[in-house]
């Protein structure tokens, strides 16, 4: 976890950046995307998870198609905004890096948003 001084400095920077910002609906700045992965029972699928406290993403062991059962998987692309439904309250939010592009997340626990191109540099540089 970041030291308190760094967290306070980041909060001040965020407030400065958004001070004159126009509020827009989430669907406009980062619409929800569903790039469903078709599961083959004979295949295997790389998965990712999202660490709490703003510590980015991590690779999980490959999921065998036969173990996927009725679960849905979504494909992640670099620059996507990811969060955990269960742990977002403790900072389990991240922007997908190129190293995680093409990896999957389980839809039940991790929604995926595609950040608008005009927002990405500012948002990613300050928030993550």
């Amino acid at each position: 976890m970041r030291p308190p001084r760094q967290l306070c400095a980041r909060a001040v920077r965020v407030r400065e950046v958004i001070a004159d910002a126009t509020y827009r609906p989430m669907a406009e700045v980062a619409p929800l995307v569903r790039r469903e992965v078709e599961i083959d029972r004979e295949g295997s699928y790389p998965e990712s998870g999202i660490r709490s406290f703003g510590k980015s993403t991590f690779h999980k062991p490959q999921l065998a198609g036969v173990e996927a059962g009725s679960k849905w998987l979504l494909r992640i692309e670099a620059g996507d905004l990811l969060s955990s439904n269960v742990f977002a309250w403790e900072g389990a939010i991240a922007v997908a890096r190129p190293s995680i592009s093409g990896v999957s997340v389980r839809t039940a626990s991790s929604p995926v948003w595609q950040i608008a191109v005009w927002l990405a540099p500012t948002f990613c540089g300050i928030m993550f």
Side-chain angles (χ1 to χ4, degrees), residues 44-52 56-64 67 71-74 76 82-87 92 97 99-111:
S44 63
Y45 303 89
E47 279 194 286
S48 72
I50 305 148
R51 289 187 180 96
S52 295
S56 193
T57 57
F58 63 94
H59 290 278
K60 290 182 173 180
Q62 296 240 349
L63 176 68
E67 293 175 8
K71 297 175 183 142
W72 291 359
L73 297 177
L74 296 178
I76 299 169
L82 312 170
S83 75
S84 165
N85 283 347
V86 179
F87 296 107
R97 291 180 263 162
S99 65
I100 209 151
S101 189
V103 174
S104 303
V105 293
R106 295 181 193 204
T107 59
S109 61
S110 301

Side-chain angles (χ1 to χ4, degrees), residues 35-40 45 73:
R35 299 181 202 101
E36 291 185 30
V37 175
E38 190 171 322
I39 298 173
D40 175 3
Y45 303 89
L73 297 177

Side-chain angles (χ1 to χ4, degrees), residues 8-28:
C8 292
R10 179 174 282 192
V12 169
R13 286 192 328 216
V14 170
R15 273 188 248 135
E16 289 171 359
V17 168
I18 66 170
D20 298 322
T22 303
Y23 285 87
R24 298 176 185 228
M26 185 72 169
E28 188 178 321

